[in-house]
Amino acid sequence: MKKLMVTLTAFALSVFSVHAASNTTIVHPEPRAGSALDLYAIELIEFLAEKSGGSVTLQAFDGQIGSQSRKVEMLKQGKLTVDWLGADRTLEAELIPVRYPVFRGLLGHRLFITNQATEPQLAQISSASDLQSLTMIQGQGWADVKVLNSAGFRVREISSFENIFKVVDTGRADLFPRALIEPFSELAERPQYGNLLVDPHLMLIYRFPMFLFVSPQHADVAEMLNGAFEAAYQDGSFIEFFNNAPLVKETFEKANIGERTVIRVDNPHLSNETQAIPDTFWLDIEAQ
């Protein structure tokens, strides 16, 4: 009888586990205005959830979040289940990284949102040292800040995402580095900043993946996303998802990559595990 009870208990627990895993709610940040990147990330989570075979409900967080530093705290506390963030050693230690680059490394291919007064200067720039005379601006707590500072650039941080556009528009900063996939949709959403444009001359490149980061309170979700990503790479469906994403297609149509001066800098802030990600998971931009 005791053996039977143990067996039934184990069976009940396994049924509960399957039920719990197959009815998961994933709470994510609300997409920012004009951010096609955020919409892509949410669609990717939906794609991976479907790939997992479980019943997963995605839910945008109801309320204000603020800076990335605040989002990280909410992830630690379990108030957010997942977010899509640029990777560095600190984040990878504090949260659970799903180490598949969400954009195959395109996050580290940077174009500059700039203003009409600064743009002519960029046509004369050919090296990282040339860029060091200009002021860059980033969001508070963004992992890019460490990378850009390490390369010798002058970087200011602002907590409000919207205020970054205002600061560059009014000439209080020169450059807002954005991933290749970000600036066109962001400016299209903000016609009120008539002084802003996407610089057509330069592309700054450093190795910088965006990962899905999961709350330590929701390790089961990290396991589900890792398994789904692995399956999607094995059957080729993630590459198909990536290549067919409107954001990716539009980016390569608008960015004029072959006409840009490329400036490369190092990123010393990645973990050993991230540096060891095989080349097959990174996009070869020069092959596009």
Side-chain angles (χ1 to χ4, degrees):
M1 176 64 70
K2 184 175 180 180
K3 182 177 180 182
L4 178 60
M5 287 180 64
V6 170
T7 304
L8 288 173
T9 301
F11 175 76
L13 286 173
S14 70
V15 169
F16 175 79
S17 256
V18 170
H19 178 75
S22 62
N23 291 275
T24 303
T25 297
I26 295 179
V27 180
H28 60 80
E30 190 81 44
R32 294 164 293 182
S35 178
L37 181 153
D38 288 355
L39 296 177
Y40 169 97
I42 294 168
E43 289 171 2
L44 174 61
I45 297 170
E46 291 174 341
F47 165 78
L48 293 172
E50 183 177 346
K51 197 75 180 173
S52 75
S55 175
V56 180
T57 301
L58 268 64
Q59 177 181 315
F61 181 78
D62 185 15
Q64 294 294 318
I65 295 179
S67 68
Q68 178 167 310
S69 301
R70 173 64 180 147
K71 287 197 286 187
V72 171
E73 286 304 313
M74 293 177 70
L75 282 162
K76 290 180 186 178
Q77 297 163 11
K79 295 178 181 177
L80 288 173
T81 312
V82 66
D83 195 6
W84 40 96
L85 303 167
D88 71 4
R89 283 192 296 265
T90 302
L91 281 179
E92 293 181 54
E94 294 177 341
L95 305 171
I96 304 177
V98 178
R99 285 195 179 91
Y100 291 87
V102 166
F103 285 103
R104 305 189 64 205
L106 285 185
L107 195 70
H109 295 68
R110 296 274 154 166
L111 307 185
F112 297 115
I113 291 177
T114 188
N115 52 56
Q116 301 286 346
T118 303
E119 185 269 332
Q121 301 177 52
L122 301 182
Q124 310 304 316
I125 287 176
S126 60
S127 68
S129 59
D130 293 340
L131 274 175
Q132 291 172 359
S133 63
L134 300 174
T135 303
M136 299 185 186
I137 194 162
Q138 292 282 269
Q140 187 179 53
W142 291 5
D144 311 74
V145 175
K146 296 177 184 177
V147 182
L148 296 169
N149 279 332
S150 294
F153 301 132
R154 297 161 54 195
V155 185
R156 289 175 54 195
E157 295 180 67
I158 290 183
S159 60
S160 167
F161 182 68
E162 196 61 36
N163 283 345
I164 294 176
F165 296 92
K166 296 177 183 178
V167 168
V168 179
D169 184 67
T170 56
R172 288 175 285 156
D174 300 307
L175 305 172
F176 181 19
R178 302 304 285 144
L180 191 67
I181 46 189
E182 294 176 302
F184 300 104
S185 62
E186 289 175 346
L187 289 193
E189 181 71 17
R190 295 171 173 84
Q192 68 270 32
Y193 302 122
N195 195 31
L196 295 182
L197 71 155
V198 179
D199 160 61
H201 307 293
L202 302 174
M203 181 164 62
L204 178 68
I205 298 180
Y206 44 89
R207 179 151 285 199
F208 187 50
M210 173 174 279
F211 292 149
L212 297 177
F213 281 92
V214 179
S215 166
Q217 310 297 324
H218 298 283
D220 58 322
V221 172
E223 184 178 357
M224 179 267 289
L225 293 172
N226 269 304
F229 243 131
E230 182 178 359
Y233 258 105
Q234 287 179 351
D235 67 13
S237 57
F238 171 69
I239 299 300
E240 183 179 356
F241 173 90
F242 175 83
N243 288 338
N244 290 329
L247 171 58
V248 174
K249 289 182 175 180
E250 291 169 9
T251 293
F252 286 111
E253 289 172 1
K254 294 178 179 178
N256 298 319
I257 292 170
E259 300 175 16
R260 294 176 177 274
T261 298
V262 172
I263 298 173
R264 296 180 183 271
V265 297
D266 292 330
N267 179 0
H269 302 285
L270 298 177
S271 68
N272 291 336
E273 293 85 353
T274 295
Q275 292 182 40
I277 293 174
D279 288 343
T280 187
F281 296 105
W282 303 91
L283 183 69
D284 182 359
I285 193 76
E286 294 179 353
Q288 298 303 305

